[in-house]
Amino acid sequence: MKLLKVTLLLVMCCLLPVNPVNTLAQCTKGDCINGRGTFAYSDGVKYAGRGKSRVSLTQLEKAVINETNLLRRNPAKYVKKMRRYKGAGEAIGVLRSTKPLSTLKVSPGLCRAAKDHMNDKGPKGDTGHTGRDGSDCQTRVNRYGKVARKWAENINYGRDSAEEIVVSWLIDARTPSRGHRKNILHPSYRHIGVGCGYHAKWKIMCVQDLAAVYREGKPSVPKFSVPKKKPSVRKPYVPKFSVPKKKPSVRSPYRPKSLVPKQKPSRPSRGYAKKCNTNCINGRCITKCCVNGKCTTRTYKSK
């Protein structure tokens, strides 16, 4: 009889309609597909969604949010996973002494702020919490709403598993102050946003934004957004070294040979001319006079 009841319960649970939404919780009331319903986690935590501020999440981003809430709902139970990793002794001691924490609600504004920082740092291969425009976590979060009281940001590079990402924040070996661990286990935080994507150096990066009080608002234009270019007006080409144009040659007017006056041969000096012969020998003629190296028929008397 007991076996039959258990079987019937299992069949009924399988037939119940469950609408998957971005908040990673089950729908209990209202239009959950459009974000206008009431959602509930398996531990009984409920909250109302907002349809106007929906945001699409990747599988890795959803998994990181689920893993974070799994850690916060029962820190002592999460110790079983931590035992598989080296250097987790200090983190295990902290988890055993930590009481169950509230489940974090997915905030579209925090998700967009995390994606903005991921898109800003990832393609360039940069690291750190300061954007290229000098913005910090608070500035990026306030672009999509209003944050108050407390906020924090965790970043992970090179890991594509949600469990490894959360465990690395818990161990926090490279941060002496264990700031990532304190952020993820802080009792005052109520809202979460995650953005994961490509990184030029580490192949993948994940940004997690947390806030104690956050009010969604209209998105504002980030400072690092590139404005639209105006249509460029093509300027005339001006060469740096212009070659001067040649002046057109003026052709001399045509004059027939009959009109061209014949030039008279230059008359040599009287002391130079002598009677000479027909041929010029070394500037002298035998029978005729030599003028400019040529024999002439005219003869001149010498002094």
Side-chain angles (χ1 to χ4, degrees):
M1 193 65 180
K2 290 182 179 180
L3 182 61
L4 181 61
K5 289 182 179 180
V6 172
T7 306
L8 289 173
L9 287 173
L10 290 174
V11 172
M12 290 176 66
C13 292
C14 294
L15 293 176
L16 285 175
V18 178
N19 296 325
V21 293
N22 293 331
T23 50
L24 308 174
Q26 292 183 354
C27 176
T28 58
K29 185 180 178 181
D31 187 6
C32 297
I33 296 177
N34 294 321
R36 299 173 182 173
T38 304
F39 311 105
Y41 283 97
S42 57
D43 59 352
V45 178
K46 298 181 181 180
Y47 64 94
R50 297 182 181 182
K52 293 183 180 180
S53 56
R54 287 168 44 185
V55 63
S56 60
L57 300 175
T58 63
Q59 293 296 327
L60 180 59
E61 291 166 352
K62 293 178 182 179
V64 171
I65 295 173
N66 269 338
E67 195 72 20
T68 304
N69 283 328
L70 180 65
L71 164 67
R72 289 174 64 89
R73 283 197 294 267
N74 196 343
K77 189 177 179 180
Y78 202 82
V79 172
K80 294 180 181 180
K81 291 187 176 184
M82 296 293 295
R83 289 173 179 171
R84 300 197 299 264
Y85 296 91
K86 294 181 179 179
E90 180 184 346
I92 290 173
V94 173
L95 291 179
R96 284 176 177 172
S97 60
T98 303
K99 297 179 180 180
L101 305 170
S102 60
T103 306
L104 300 175
K105 302 176 185 179
V106 178
S107 169
L110 295 179
C111 289
R112 292 188 180 98
K115 288 176 182 288
D116 282 350
H117 191 56
M118 180 266 298
N119 292 327
D120 184 29
K121 290 288 189 179
K124 298 292 183 180
D126 298 336
T127 58
H129 295 274
T130 305
R132 286 186 297 165
D133 58 347
S135 61
D136 56 358
C137 175
Q138 183 185 9
T139 305
R140 292 188 293 269
V141 165
N142 283 334
R143 288 171 182 163
Y144 301 98
K146 184 65 177 177
V147 67
R149 289 179 56 187
K150 242 182 126 51
W151 60 89
E153 186 175 67
N154 292 336
I155 304 178
N156 185 272
Y157 303 94
R159 294 179 177 86
D160 56 357
S161 170
E163 182 179 325
E164 293 179 358
I165 292 172
V166 174
V167 169
S168 67
W169 285 333
L170 286 173
I171 296 175
D172 210 6
R174 296 185 179 182
T175 308
S177 63
R178 306 294 188 261
H180 299 91
R181 182 197 301 167
K182 293 177 181 178
N183 292 337
I184 205 171
L185 294 177
H186 203 284
S188 63
Y189 291 133
R190 296 289 185 272
H191 306 274
I192 185 174
V194 176
C196 300
Y198 171 74
H199 192 273
K201 182 178 180 181
W202 298 99
K203 306 302 180 185
I204 190 171
M205 69 176 291
C206 270
V207 182
Q208 182 188 68
D209 287 340
L210 305 169
V213 178
Y214 188 73
R215 181 178 297 176
E216 303 287 341
K218 294 182 179 180
S220 58
V221 180
K223 293 181 180 179
F224 61 85
S225 62
V226 181
K228 293 183 179 179
K229 292 183 178 180
K230 296 181 179 179
S232 58
V233 179
R234 190 172 183 180
K235 297 181 179 179
Y237 173 72
V238 179
K240 293 182 179 180
F241 304 99
S242 60
V243 181
K245 295 183 179 179
K246 293 183 179 180
K247 295 182 179 180
S249 59
V250 180
R251 189 174 180 180
S252 59
Y254 173 73
R255 291 201 294 179
K257 293 183 179 180
S258 60
L259 299 178
V260 178
K262 295 182 179 180
Q263 293 181 357
K264 295 181 179 181
S266 59
R267 187 175 180 178
S269 61
R270 299 181 72 180
Y272 177 77
K274 292 182 179 181
K275 292 183 178 179
C276 53
N277 297 329
T278 304
N279 298 326
C280 290
I281 300 173
N282 295 329
R284 297 180 181 180
C285 298
I286 300 174
T287 58
K288 297 181 180 181
C289 295
C290 188
V291 178
N292 296 328
K294 296 181 180 180
C295 294
T296 60
T297 56
R298 295 181 183 182
T299 58
Y300 301 94
K301 295 181 180 181
S302 57
K303 293 180 180 180

